[in-house]
Amino acid sequence: MRQFLRVALLRHRWTAFLAGALTLLVAQVAATAFPETWRVQADVYVAEPAIVHRLANPFASVPSTKDVLQPLIELLYADEHLTKLVKNTALVDRWKEGRAWPLLLKDSLQERFRAPLSDRDQLAALVAMLEKRLEVEVDGHHVRIAVKWGSPQLAVDLTHAAVRTLVEQRETSEGRALDAAAKGLDEQLAGVRGEMKSRLERLDAELTRARYDRRWAAIDADRDQLFRDQQRAADLIVRAEEKHLGAEIIRRVTPLRALVVKPPVQPKEPLGGGPLARLVCLLLAVLTSALGGAVAVALFGGEICAGFQVRDGLGIPVLGSARIGWIGYRQSLKWQALVAVGLLATVTGVTVGLAKGNPALAVLPWFVAAGLYAVWVLPLKYPLMGLMLLAVTLDDPQDRPYFNLWQSPLYPVGKLFFKNVAWFTGFELSLLFLSALSLLRWFRPSLRPQDVDPFVGAPPKPLRYAVGLSAVSVGVLVVSGVLGGGNFRDALWQFRVLLMMPIAATLAMHAFDFPKDFKPLLWILLIGTVLKSLLGTYFIYRIALPMGELPAHTTGHNDTMIFVTATVAAVVLLWEYPKALSVRAAAILLPFAANAMRLNDRRIAYVDIAVVLIFVYLISPWHQVKRFATRAFVFSLPALLLYMAAGWNSSSGVFKPVAKIRSIVAPAESSEENSSNVERDIENYNLLKNWEQHPLFGRGFGHAFSEFVPSNDFAQSNYGRVGHNSVLWLLWIGGIVGLTGVWLYLGIAAFFCARALARSHRPLNRAALLVSLGILLTYLLQAFGDMGTQSIQMAFFVSVAVATIGRLATQVGAWSYAEAVTEDREITDPETLPLHHLPSTLR
């Protein structure tokens, strides 16, 4: 490779020089066209001293930090507050400070050829711009406010105004409420005093008339009412004074409740580092463009020998222009390569001008181009494995990782892949891109899919047809649901992952080559398990506990699939292949998986493992490990029963496994687990009652089920748009026909798994089949237990399981003789033939 790069630079040095010069020129123009961005940040420490609240409002509960900070964040982003910031900083008159000259030119042209913006429109535009450039971050008791702007002084002024608004809000929010309460009490007191005054005047007049008439006046009722009014007035005076005093206390102690730890100051350097960092970034971009341009022309130019090499070596200059394709005998693409190099050099220059010293952005265009080319020419399994590695390591922001108390270093990348980009998430768009890539390969005459992907020994046709039927069924349910009055935006959220599963399964069936690809897939599972376990441990002991928090979970709910599969894989390897390799894998996987499940604290994980291992025991052939496990279980059964009986009602740590089992099968009535079970039972009842209205074909996607019995979990299910029990929810969505069409391939995969397992003689192949069956069972259990159909991680796991079962079923001849592919025995070996090909005696 070094020699190829050296020769490419020597042969195409002018191309390299021009690409580097073009990048340098465009970068300089872009740097002047888009000036620096200055970021100013302030840090405000927000506290809620309990003694202050006890003095200010003795009968009110002390608010938590979360309850206090959330309204403040909403306040800072409110249009009213942003408008106030724009007016207080005179941004309408100063907005051209630091504005780029292309934008100023655009503004002048607009003013010349169009009517100028009204003050109202200009104010609205500045408010929208400020909303994008204002950053508010909460870290414990700290609120960090930052503003990015083209002028450093404007950034400082805007940050000052935002901090001032925050401090004033801390002073006036509760104080205003106390003042309002005191004002109301004062008004009541004034009303009581007015009533007392009018009553005294009436009594005085009545007594005067009684004295004039020489009789006694009946004033007992009015006298008693005056006494009661006097008591009420005294009570109102005390209460009003308490409110006034509380408001004054709040105003006096504001510095204790909102302390500016770091005031906004003008930064010394703009974003992106100093001149040295920008120079390094520019040189890196120029060198990358030069090297990339030379390599691109060398790869696609079709030139094997340069003219000077032929002339100096053979003395025959006529052969110096001979060209041959880089792959086969294809036509030279030198001019196309030169055009692509020019475009990439231009894009790189613009990126460097905008990067402001970020070296990653400086080389991003060339790396993206190289990545797209690699995806085009390399086997499909490599990008698919890359997506799987990202799925098991990144944090899903929508799954509330680390209880929203901490963001791991993987969180920003997780936002890119797990959140919506354009209707679909990054993972879903990547799968759609790989699908389009496979179709292009199929229709391109010079590069058939079988040239790069292992199409030989494809999975059985029934399995492939069932996977295709799943995608068609999802599409039909989307159309029927929307035409039946459903909302497409709701439908999009409901069906996306269900649609991705058959797509990912199809890609996996044509991408992976088993058993060769078992090892890298096991490594992906190992990396995801170890990384999630370490991050969860760090979060609990270094972040949560020092903050005084004990979160209900660490990683997200959907990460349960990773830990369960890792545990099952380690146990099954020991079960089928008790060798040193399996012992090493189990020694690494099991401790990390157990720690991750302990920190994630989801009961369904233990249910998944128990059910899968029961199926593994029942379906696997009798071998030495199975006999040993059976005997050990029978001998230890009395002790296990005594242990469970002794710890059924105990809270001791020794009987913690028994307590976990009880929380699943028979939780205490006052426990949170029992409350959760009751709510799920109510929701399941509502789903079944809704299904009874459309039992055969369902309602289709885009609808929400109705509440026949009120449930506290109705809001958690997005008000009926998705059910926690995804099996019953999908039964309501598609009816019997739709549910069968969407999930038929899971049953067919289980069928072929059983057939292939009975015909497999390699222990590692049997282990792979059992782990695949465990993935299918875990997916169904997760779907039955808690929204398993909404996890893109499960789509990747299920796709690998279906591909493994399909490939191995074909290899061992579990479907048909024509599709059987053997690696270590002849096709005439009786063990590889279907039963109907064997002699009657062997049958």
Side-chain angles (χ1 to χ4, degrees), residues 640-794:
L640 289 175
L641 293 177
L642 289 175
Y643 172 73
M644 292 187 64
W648 192 254
N649 296 315
S650 176
S651 59
S652 174
V654 179
F655 298 105
K656 194 170 183 179
V658 181
K660 183 65 68 174
I661 295 174
R662 178 176 178 177
S663 69
I664 297 172
V665 298
E669 292 186 2
S670 60
S671 64
E672 182 181 352
E673 291 83 2
N674 184 68
S675 175
S676 176
N677 292 348
V678 171
E679 293 296 332
R680 298 298 166 82
D681 288 340
I682 295 174
E683 183 178 282
N684 294 344
Y685 173 80
N686 289 328
L687 283 169
L688 288 173
K689 295 296 290 184
N690 280 267
W691 168 69
E692 289 176 357
Q693 299 175 357
H694 306 275
L696 195 59
F697 297 103
R699 288 295 308 274
F701 291 106
H703 296 276
F705 64 86
S706 303
E707 267 192 311
F708 288 85
V709 177
S711 169
N712 294 329
D713 280 353
F714 196 60
Q716 295 183 13
S717 62
N718 198 6
Y719 299 98
R721 290 175 176 84
V722 62
H724 287 87
N725 190 326
S726 298
V727 177
L728 298 180
W729 173 75
L730 190 56
L731 179 64
W732 164 70
I733 288 286
I736 298 174
V737 175
L739 177 68
T740 303
V742 173
W743 274 352
L744 179 63
Y745 72 97
L746 299 178
I748 294 178
F751 166 76
F752 281 112
C753 179
R755 284 182 60 87
L757 189 66
R759 303 176 67 85
S760 297
H761 300 281
R762 293 180 180 179
L764 290 180
N765 283 358
R766 290 201 303 269
L769 289 169
L770 291 174
V771 173
S772 301
L773 179 63
I775 290 175
L776 299 183
L777 291 171
T778 303
Y779 169 68
L780 292 175
L781 288 169
Q782 291 282 331
F784 190 84
D786 195 0
M787 297 185 185
T789 57
Q790 302 300 312
S791 169
I792 191 65
Q793 292 100 321
M794 295 184 185

Side-chain angles (χ1 to χ4, degrees), residues 517-527 569-570 573 581 585 589:
D517 291 331
F518 285 153
K519 186 175 181 180
L521 291 173
L522 186 62
W523 270 105
I524 290 174
L525 185 63
L526 174 64
I527 292 172
L573 280 174
L581 173 65
L589 274 174

Side-chain angles (χ1 to χ4, degrees), residues 15 22 297 333-346 366:
T15 301
L22 181 60
V297 176
L333 301 175
K334 185 174 182 178
W335 288 108
Q336 293 90 328
L338 287 173
V339 172
V341 167
L343 291 175
L344 284 172
T346 304
W366 287 96

Side-chain angles (χ1 to χ4, degrees), residues 1-13:
M1 182 59 68
R2 287 196 303 270
Q3 186 178 3
F4 167 72
L5 295 177
R6 182 179 61 83
V7 173
L9 285 172
L10 287 175
R11 289 179 178 174
H12 307 288
R13 50 186 175 272

Side-chain angles (χ1 to χ4, degrees), residues 293-307:
V295 169
V297 176
L299 286 177
F300 299 102
E303 186 177 6
I304 296 299
C305 298

